[in-house]
Amino acid sequence: MRCIAQRRVPLTVSFTVVSRRQAHTADFPPSCRNRAVQYRDLAMISLDFDFNIVTRDLSHYLENQVKVGLFGSGVGLSLVLGFSAAYTCYYLISVAKKPQLISGGKKFYHFLRDHCPVVSETYYPTFWCWESRIQTLLRPFVTAKPGVVYRNELIKAADGGQISLDWFDNDDSVSHPDSATRPTVLLLPGLTGTSRESYILHMVQQSRDLGYRCVVFNNRGVSGEVLLTPRTYCAANTEDLETVIEHIQRNYEASLVMAAGVSMGGMMLANYLGRKGRETCLKGVVVFSAGWDVFECTASLEKPLDRFLFNSYLTSCLQASVHRHRPVLEKCYDMDHVMKARTIREFDERFTSIMFGYPSNDHYYHDASPVHRLKSVQVPMLCLNAADDVFSPSHAIPVEAVKQNPNLALLITCHGGHIGFLEGMWPRQSTYMDRVFKQFAKAVIEEGSRLEDLS
């Protein structure tokens, strides 16, 4: 007991020892009771001494190190400023860069440099969400949806089906008041997109500012119309697109027509141009975030993280789209099997490739890949892709194929994700993609004579 009482011990241990002595002092023999009381008093003195030291040191630390929190301390402020400076340097050196412009001919290249200055400007992605997946995921939620009132039209297809078109006539156009000659912009949404997607609405808004008319081609069965035949759509089949373009040409023979396609809509446009060559009324085409090689696109989307973030969700969207028309489709397809698909590849194997008569899904993917038809494109086509797009990986972007065709130009940004291209502190109103669209549309419509012979 003497050793315990005299040894310096931690605060909590000292308190415990004293408490036990107080509890058992009465049990000691009379000869030891006085000595135990002395040991207890010494321990209490030691306890008071330790407590005073601790409180004194703690008070000194609080007064000198954390007077007003992290930002009030010199160390905290230094850390914040240092991190901010380091992040700014990294952003300016590695993130904000000029896009790479590639063209198969000097004439198209210089046309874009002269009439679309955005192709030469540094792209500054939104500094707090420049990573590709974040850009892709946030685009639908961050960007505003401009108010657009459409005029819907249903036209008949050759197989008896119907196609839904949403028109924005822009009858208030000041620069093109005559409806017969007002330029027309055809817009094609992505895989499960409609005329209500934010990126489509922004392009309609840009076209309205330019005085042009817009028409959105909604793929069969996705915009609320009834599916009259057991057939939907795919990137390889361009029959419905041909029907729509012919319909526009018949109704507005004197109107200049250009087109813009996003993601799968861009793939469909590129495949259409590759098949038609010069036999089209389109004066120019711009394509955003297209998947050039479907095999590479699906392989990228099947990586664990991208499968979790994108693949499963898009598959469920495809299934929801066909489920609405199940009474018509289940007469020809095993819809229970289709609804059990867990990836886009499985959905295509069980539904899309069978619907369009391909011997296998590989045959369908080869036919749907626009990279194989780029050499046949005879209309000026500008293609915007981000190098970090997980839907269309950078190694599959057809740089060499573009270099072989004077009618093609490729604009590659380091960042932007898939249909992201967010820029500015709070990217609500406009994106880099919107600026590319507006400048190219204006150049094609108003300076199109310079694009008549690019070879």
Side-chain angles (χ1 to χ4, degrees):
M1 291 181 64
R2 182 176 301 160
C3 295
I4 295 175
Q6 292 177 347
R7 192 177 69 184
R8 176 66 58 85
V9 293
L11 180 62
T12 55
V13 176
S14 298
F15 179 77
T16 303
V17 172
V18 172
S19 298
R20 288 179 180 174
R21 288 182 185 139
Q22 289 174 335
H24 299 287
T25 300
D27 298 333
F28 293 161
S31 58
C32 298
R33 189 172 300 165
N34 292 334
R35 184 176 299 173
V37 172
Q38 293 175 356
Y39 293 156
R40 182 191 65 192
D41 294 340
L42 288 172
M44 290 298 294
I45 294 172
S46 176
L47 173 65
D48 293 339
F49 179 73
D50 289 348
F51 182 76
N52 289 333
I53 293 175
V54 171
T55 55
R56 183 192 65 194
D57 292 344
L58 180 59
S59 298
H60 179 75
Y61 175 79
L62 291 173
E63 291 175 358
N64 291 277
Q65 296 297 324
V66 288
K67 292 180 180 178
V68 289
L70 176 63
F71 293 100
S73 65
V75 175
L77 183 59
S78 297
L79 287 174
V80 171
L81 292 176
F83 175 80
S84 299
Y87 184 82
T88 300
C89 290
Y90 176 79
Y91 176 87
L92 294 175
I93 294 173
S94 301
V95 179
K97 292 184 177 181
K98 288 186 177 182
Q100 183 181 8
L101 179 62
I102 302 165
S103 179
K106 291 183 179 180
K107 191 172 181 179
F108 196 16
Y109 179 87
H110 290 298
F111 175 87
L112 292 171
R113 293 289 295 266
D114 293 341
H115 299 283
C116 303
V118 66
V119 304
S120 304
E121 298 172 359
T122 299
Y123 167 48
Y124 294 93
T126 299
F127 79 96
W128 52 268
C129 66
W130 50 265
E131 198 275 333
S132 63
R133 295 173 182 85
I134 299 177
Q135 284 240 346
T136 303
L137 291 170
L138 287 184
R139 165 69 188 255
F141 304 101
V142 173
T143 55
K145 287 190 173 184
V148 176
V149 178
Y150 290 114
R151 171 177 61 87
N152 183 255
E153 180 185 18
L154 296 175
I155 63 174
K156 291 294 182 180
D159 70 331
Q162 61 181 357
I163 304 168
S164 176
L165 302 179
D166 282 323
W167 291 86
F168 177 74
D169 295 305
N170 201 9
D171 290 330
D172 297 328
S173 174
V174 176
S175 56
H176 300 279
D178 185 358
S179 177
T181 59
R182 185 177 304 143
T184 303
V185 180
L186 171 62
L187 303 176
L188 281 71
L191 183 61
T192 59
T194 68
S195 59
R196 292 297 172 184
E197 304 302 323
S198 63
Y199 56 83
I200 293 293
L201 293 173
H202 276 270
M203 286 193 282
V204 173
Q205 184 183 52
Q206 304 282 1
S207 301
R208 177 176 57 195
D209 295 342
L210 293 170
Y212 307 156
R213 170 177 42 235
C214 279
V215 54
V216 184
F217 165 39
N218 298 293
N219 287 305
R220 292 198 202 188
V222 300
S223 62
E225 79 281 6
V226 177
L227 199 64
L228 300 180
T229 59
R231 169 178 164 174
T232 56
Y233 59 93
C234 75
N237 188 281
T238 60
E239 293 175 0
D240 284 358
L241 177 57
E242 292 178 29
T243 300
V244 170
I245 293 175
E246 290 171 1
H247 177 75
I248 296 172
Q249 191 174 20
R250 280 196 307 269
N251 284 272
Y252 300 101
E253 295 180 358
S255 173
L256 294 175
V257 184
M258 70 152 300
V262 181
S263 191
M264 195 205 73
M267 297 166 63
M268 191 181 294
L269 263 178
N271 282 326
Y272 164 80
L273 292 180
R275 289 193 175 104
K276 300 296 288 186
R278 293 189 180 277
E279 298 177 4
T280 177
C281 65
L282 297 181
K283 301 303 179 184
V285 168
V286 59
V287 169
F288 302 106
S289 298
W292 298 104
D293 187 324
V294 182
F295 291 100
E296 296 294 340
C297 295
T298 51
S300 178
L301 287 173
E302 287 171 354
K303 295 177 180 179
L305 180 58
D306 298 323
R307 176 170 176 167
F308 171 75
L309 291 175
F310 306 111
N311 203 326
S312 298
Y313 172 73
L314 287 174
T315 303
S316 66
C317 289
L318 288 168
Q319 290 171 326
S321 177
V322 299
H323 181 70
R324 290 194 294 268
H325 309 286
R326 184 162 184 154
V328 176
L329 296 172
E330 64 184 359
K331 298 175 183 178
C332 302
Y333 312 104
D334 185 354
M335 296 305 295
D336 289 333
H337 191 48
V338 172
M339 299 306 292
K340 292 178 182 178
R342 292 294 174 264
T343 64
I344 295 175
R345 187 193 298 270
E346 289 182 359
F347 180 88
D348 289 335
E349 289 172 346
R350 302 175 186 189
F351 185 75
T352 312
S353 60
I354 297 173
M355 174 177 289
F356 289 94
Y358 289 97
S360 69
N361 196 58
D362 285 352
H363 285 84
Y364 163 53
Y365 277 5
H366 182 274
D367 198 31
S369 301
V371 65
H372 304 300
R373 295 191 178 89
L374 290 180
K375 62 180 180 294
S376 302
V377 173
Q378 299 297 314
V379 173
M381 182 168 72
L382 172 63
C383 313
L384 173 64
N385 279 88
D388 62 355
D389 186 349
V390 297
F391 285 67
S392 184
S394 59
H395 63 269
I397 296 177
V399 174
E400 294 304 318
V402 168
K403 289 180 179 180
Q404 303 304 315
N405 188 335
N407 296 288
L408 301 177
L410 186 60
L411 189 64
I412 305 175
T413 59
C414 288
H415 300 279
H418 187 72
I419 326 176
F421 302 103
L422 301 177
E423 60 182 357
M425 181 71 71
W426 186 243
R428 289 283 293 168
Q429 302 303 323
S430 180
T431 67
Y432 181 81
M433 185 177 108
D434 298 327
R435 293 198 290 131
V436 171
F437 166 78
K438 186 175 184 179
Q439 292 183 17
F440 184 73
K442 182 178 180 180
V444 168
I445 297 297
E446 300 181 9
E447 302 290 339
S449 59
R450 294 185 56 187
L451 295 174
E452 291 179 357
D453 184 14
L454 294 177
S455 57

